[in-house]
Amino acid sequence: EPEVTQTPSHQVTQMGQEVILRCVPISNHLYFYWYRQILGQKVEFLVSFYNNEISEKSEIFDDQFSVERPDGSNFTLKIRSTKLEDSAMYFCASTVSDSYEQYFGPGTRLTVT
Amino acid sequence: AQTVTQSQPEMSVQEAETVTLSCTYDTSESDYYLFWYKQPPSRQMILVIRQEAYKQQNATENRFSVNFQKAAKSFSLKISDSQLGDAAMYFCAYSGSARQLTFGSGTQLTVLP
């Protein structure tokens, strides 16, 4: 069964460093999402991406964040200058065009020290 | 903006018994989807069940069923014949015209042997 994959599973970085989180959505999916979950809290929407552009973004998704689909298969989330409060689990999700059912990857745990 | 509320931070159930997790939501949209996701300790987000708002019939997936009350904006999850593997955090989620998921704060379910 096709699945969403994410790499790395765990990333440790120092405050102020740039990180890139990678996702490979399911191949025939057209809508892509990033969500964040701070430990012990609910899952929060960051950004959605369709047709090679951002379709929606939350207030969390400020200028420090960017997304890209560089090669037609990978979908990346970049955090330019990480802060301690960026420590969280980051989930990628994808869906086909006519479905609202989102399939989640296993997540990347980001630890900022 | 849509909101999703889960008023039970923790629930417990005896193995083989039935438990119901509550969820209410607020929206002005008439066409939307509702979901229950399960998050075990691995933190993977697993789709349990979905409900289309235009369908009057409650969704069922094996031991999992929902009680969808559109007028009351209520969407509860019933787990029958509870198993030890059902122990997890359960999140209720809403998806409307903007497609991204809005999650509740979650209910931690413990299954007692």
Side-chain angles (χ1 to χ4, degrees):
Chain A
E1 186 175 329
E3 56 184 22
V4 178
T5 60
Q6 290 185 244
T7 54
S9 57
H10 187 198
Q11 171 118 29
V12 181
T13 189
Q14 289 192 326
M15 197 166 54
Q17 295 297 303
E18 174 183 287
V19 294
I20 297 176
L21 310 183
R22 291 182 169 79
C23 168
V24 179
I26 296 172
S27 62
N28 64 334
H29 284 191
L30 299 177
Y31 289 83
F32 313 113
Y33 306 84
W34 283 102
Y35 293 86
R36 177 181 85 175
Q37 185 184 32
I38 295 170
L39 186 63
Q41 297 186 22
K42 65 179 176 182
V43 180
E44 300 172 290
F45 167 72
L46 289 178
V47 65
S48 59
F49 193 85
Y50 171 70
N51 202 24
N52 286 318
E53 62 182 25
I54 291 173
S55 47
E56 297 280 344
K57 60 182 180 179
S58 73
E59 56 192 27
I60 301 170
F61 193 87
D62 61 21
D63 292 343
Q64 294 296 321
F65 292 90
S66 62
V67 289
E68 197 175 42
R69 189 157 159 82
D71 57 12
S73 62
N74 289 282
F75 178 50
T76 62
L77 174 69
K78 183 194 293 186
I79 309 174
R80 287 190 185 80
S81 177
T82 50
K83 305 171 197 162
L84 293 176
E85 53 265 38
D86 293 327
S87 294
M89 194 77 153
Y90 288 81
F91 292 101
C92 173
S94 68
T95 187
V96 295
S97 61
D98 58 352
S99 170
Y100 287 70
E101 193 168 307
Q102 294 186 21
Y103 293 85
F104 280 75
T108 292
R109 193 170 119 210
L110 177 65
T111 302
V112 182
T113 61
Chain B
Q2 291 78 28
T3 58
V4 177
T5 302
Q6 293 179 250
S7 58
Q8 305 154 316
E10 297 175 351
M11 292 280 286
S12 62
V13 61
Q14 208 73 35
E15 197 175 1
E17 297 295 306
T18 296
V19 65
T20 299
L21 309 183
S22 301
C23 173
T24 58
Y25 61 94
D26 190 27
T27 183
S28 57
E29 297 180 317
S30 58
D31 190 18
Y32 51 87
Y33 289 73
L34 297 163
F35 303 89
W36 279 98
Y37 280 87
K38 170 185 177 181
Q39 187 179 46
S42 67
R43 299 187 74 183
Q44 171 83 50
M45 296 293 286
I46 302 166
L47 179 64
V48 175
I49 199 166
R50 77 174 206 175
Q51 175 77 45
E52 293 91 334
Y54 64 87
K55 288 188 177 177
Q56 292 187 334
Q57 187 173 7
N58 290 322
T60 299
E61 287 288 341
N62 301 314
R63 297 182 295 107
F64 298 87
S65 61
V66 299
N67 183 4
F68 173 49
Q69 302 288 327
K70 190 172 183 179
K73 293 180 181 169
S74 169
F75 181 61
S76 60
L77 174 70
K78 185 171 85 171
I79 306 174
S80 304
D81 185 26
S82 298
Q83 300 175 358
L84 295 177
D86 294 335
M89 181 73 92
Y90 285 81
F91 290 99
C92 178
Y94 170 101
S95 179
S97 58
R99 287 183 172 264
Q100 68 258 28
L101 292 166
T102 299
F103 287 89
S105 54
T107 297
Q108 181 69 50
L109 179 67
T110 301
V111 181
L112 304 169

